[in-house]
Amino acid sequence: MLWLDKLKNVFMREIKKEERQIEKISIERLEQILDMMRKDSLEKDELLKKEITMIIYQLDIDINKSIESLKRIDLDQRKEYDKIKLIVKENLILYTTHLLRLIVNLKNINIKDLKIYIERIFTILNNFDKSSHMPFEKATILIGEELLATKILIKDFFMNIRKIVDNNNEFFEKIKKINDLNILIKDVKQNTDYLEILNRKCDEFNKQLNKKIEEQYDHNDKIEQIKNSNKYKSDLQEKEDYIKKLREFEEEVQSVRNRINLKLLANYFHYDNKKNRIIHEYSTNFKSALQNDKNLEIFNMIKIAQNIELNDLKEIQAKILSLNEKITTDSEMVISSIKDKIKSIELEILSIKSNITNELKKKDKILLKTEKIVLETQKQAESLFPNSKIIWLD
């Protein structure tokens, strides 16, 4: 068993050793490290740019020398057709123009990012190759050997730049990871700041909501206080008395209504349109017709047709004008006003709750997005620092 225990101890030491190798880096520390790496990369950027600039400078010198050599070529001494010599001369001039433009374009690149700077060089070379191909081919009819030297210069230049890229692929990849990490960290921070804004908005909406709910409770309490007051009880009694009077009055109205034979009146005054209209109004709504019959024309019509005098019609008409069926007490008016305020508060509460729901949806969306960015940041950071673990602090 002794050897087994020793083996276990060896494994435990190896595990602990491996654990000790993992360095935990806070996001703040990671930013500092990335910043230092970026500064170091800028220095190397400058060195590589200077190296490329020197290569461009040398190409400029070599191309100009080559152009001078090409200018000294005397095609007139060649035993060729004049038409062919003319074609060669024209295309030689055109090709020389492309060479000069190539140098100008290379020297005028003003891009800080080294990788994009190099990509621009390759784009310029590619464009030169496409635009100069035809005049080069036509010019080589008579001076192929002389032009080949310029082509070798361009090819060597391309190979030198390609060599710089190949030798620094790891550096470029590292810079890309640094830039990607910086962007991811920036995104996380922006999302975190936005989440704080959303949290503050939610807090503010919740405060507004609580305030409105308190106002709602206060108004409901006021209604209860009014309903429990002596004034409210007195108003209720007053209303009940008034309703009792209305019922008694309705009985009086019905009693009078029963004593009038409207059918008889209609038959009696069938020839008179005005009187028939009045009788129809009384048949439809007796109280309303009596209220609108200011001169009590129905009184004389009853006297003539039924040979009776309903003197209490005037008294009932006066009561109709003085009594209001929809009586509202002072307490009811106050309660109605408070209920209107409560309805307004309820609408405000619904609006605030809707705002809170919208902000929470935004929060969920940002949290999900941030979670994905954090995972990607962790992945990128661990690929750049294999023996490290990034610690995110809440």
Side-chain angles (χ1 to χ4, degrees):
M1 291 296 291
L2 186 60
W3 66 271
L4 185 58
D5 292 335
K6 287 182 179 180
L7 188 58
K8 286 181 180 179
N9 289 333
V10 170
F11 283 133
M12 290 303 294
R13 282 198 300 271
E14 288 299 321
I15 292 170
K16 288 180 180 179
K17 183 179 178 181
E18 185 178 349
E19 287 176 352
R20 283 196 299 271
Q21 288 175 346
I22 302 299
E23 180 187 0
K24 293 182 179 180
I25 303 176
S26 68
I27 193 63
E28 292 79 10
R29 177 61 182 153
L30 176 61
E31 285 185 288
Q32 293 172 0
I33 294 171
L34 291 174
D35 188 53
M36 288 187 291
M37 292 174 72
R38 188 181 61 82
K39 287 177 181 178
D40 292 341
S41 71
L42 289 175
E43 292 178 5
K44 188 167 182 178
D45 266 11
E46 289 301 316
L47 291 173
L48 288 174
K49 273 190 179 180
K50 285 180 181 178
E51 184 180 347
I52 293 171
T53 302
M54 292 303 296
I55 296 173
I56 292 173
Y57 177 76
Q58 186 60 52
L59 178 66
D60 183 17
I61 294 172
D62 294 340
I63 289 294
N64 278 288
K65 285 182 180 179
S66 181
I67 290 173
E68 289 301 319
S69 297
L70 292 171
K71 285 180 179 179
R72 288 194 293 270
I73 296 174
D74 187 3
L75 293 177
D76 294 333
Q77 303 300 319
R78 302 282 181 102
K79 294 180 179 180
E80 299 289 346
Y81 290 109
D82 289 341
K83 186 177 181 181
I84 293 175
K85 287 191 281 188
L86 180 62
I87 291 172
V88 171
K89 284 180 181 180
E90 288 175 348
N91 282 280
L92 177 60
I93 292 170
L94 186 56
Y95 181 68
T96 302
T97 303
H98 285 302
L99 284 172
L100 292 172
R101 187 180 296 122
L102 168 66
I103 298 301
V104 170
N105 289 338
L106 289 172
K107 289 167 74 173
N108 287 341
I109 299 174
N110 186 22
I111 298 172
K112 289 184 178 181
D113 187 281
L114 179 60
K115 188 175 181 182
I116 299 175
Y117 177 80
I118 292 172
E119 287 173 356
R120 178 62 182 156
I121 290 174
F122 287 138
T123 300
I124 291 170
L125 288 172
N126 187 51
N127 291 337
F128 167 79
D129 187 58
K130 289 179 180 178
S131 59
S132 67
H133 177 72
M134 190 61 69
F136 175 85
E137 291 297 326
K138 289 181 179 180
T140 55
I141 296 172
L142 297 179
I143 52 173
E145 187 177 341
E146 293 87 342
L147 283 175
L148 183 60
T150 61
K151 193 160 190 177
I152 291 171
L153 288 174
I154 305 299
K155 183 179 179 181
D156 288 345
F157 173 76
F158 172 83
M159 294 305 296
N160 287 332
I161 302 300
R162 182 78 262 173
K163 186 177 179 181
I164 290 173
V165 173
D166 292 340
N167 291 340
N168 292 278
N169 269 331
E170 188 176 338
F171 169 72
F172 291 132
E173 185 62 28
K174 188 176 181 181
I175 293 304
K176 183 180 182 304
K177 288 181 178 180
I178 291 171
N179 292 334
D180 289 346
L181 262 176
N182 277 322
I183 292 170
L184 289 169
I185 292 170
K186 184 180 177 182
D187 288 343
V188 172
K189 286 193 167 186
Q190 285 179 343
N191 287 349
T192 303
D193 291 340
Y194 186 42
L195 280 171
E196 288 180 6
I197 292 171
L198 293 177
N199 283 329
R200 285 197 294 271
K201 282 186 177 181
C202 285
D203 289 342
E204 184 58 35
F205 284 135
N206 280 315
K207 286 177 183 177
Q208 293 176 16
L209 180 62
N210 291 333
K211 185 179 178 182
K212 290 300 173 184
I213 290 173
E214 285 178 10
E215 288 180 16
Q216 192 179 37
Y217 285 144
D218 288 343
H219 286 311
N220 282 320
D221 287 342
K222 285 179 183 178
I223 290 175
E224 289 303 314
Q225 289 172 11
I226 292 170
K227 287 183 177 181
N228 292 326
S229 67
N230 292 328
K231 177 70 170 72
Y232 182 74
K233 293 174 182 177
S234 174
D235 285 347
L236 279 181
Q237 187 60 52
E238 180 185 339
K239 188 169 184 177
E240 286 178 6
D241 292 343
Y242 184 81
I243 292 171
K244 185 179 178 181
K245 285 182 182 180
L246 284 177
R247 283 199 295 265
E248 290 173 353
F249 174 65
E250 287 294 336
E251 290 175 1
E252 289 181 45
V253 172
Q254 189 60 38
S255 175
V256 172
R257 169 72 177 79
N258 292 337
R259 288 158 61 192
I260 300 172
N261 191 336
L262 292 172
K263 188 174 181 180
L264 175 64
L265 294 180
N267 290 331
Y268 193 91
F269 296 105
H270 66 89
Y271 58 87
D272 191 324
N273 290 333
K274 181 182 178 182
K275 287 182 172 59
N276 264 300
R277 180 178 57 77
I278 293 171
I279 293 166
H280 178 72
E281 288 174 357
Y282 272 93
S283 299
T284 304
N285 191 326
F286 187 83
K287 279 177 66 178
S288 176
L290 184 58
Q291 184 176 348
N292 295 327
D293 190 4
K294 305 297 182 185
N295 298 321
L296 276 180
E297 294 185 37
I298 194 71
F299 181 83
N300 292 325
M301 292 164 64
I302 295 169
K303 185 177 179 181
I304 294 169
Q306 292 187 236
N307 197 26
I308 58 173
E309 292 187 7
L310 293 179
N311 293 320
D312 44 359
L313 272 176
K314 291 182 180 180
E315 183 182 346
I316 290 172
Q317 187 185 54
K319 284 184 178 181
I320 289 173
L321 295 173
S322 63
L323 292 174
N324 181 9
E325 292 184 16
K326 293 183 180 179
I327 182 172
T328 304
T329 65
D330 293 340
S331 298
E332 286 177 326
M333 288 177 66
V334 174
I335 289 174
S336 177
S337 175
I338 294 172
K339 284 183 176 180
D340 287 340
K341 290 178 181 177
I342 290 173
K343 286 180 181 178
S344 176
I345 290 170
E346 286 173 348
L347 291 175
E348 290 182 68
I349 287 174
L350 286 175
S351 176
I352 294 170
K353 285 182 176 179
S354 176
N355 288 333
I356 291 173
T357 301
N358 290 335
E359 296 306 313
L360 289 175
K361 284 179 180 178
K362 291 178 187 176
K363 275 185 65 176
D364 289 342
K365 189 175 179 180
I366 292 296
L367 283 169
L368 183 61
K369 185 179 178 181
T370 304
E371 184 180 351
K372 290 180 180 178
I373 296 173
V374 167
L375 289 173
E376 181 61 26
T377 305
Q378 197 87 303
K379 180 181 175 183
Q380 292 283 355
E382 288 175 9
S383 70
L384 195 59
F385 309 105
N387 297 322
S388 300
K389 182 174 179 61
I390 308 306
I391 306 301
W392 292 88
L393 298 177
D394 294 331

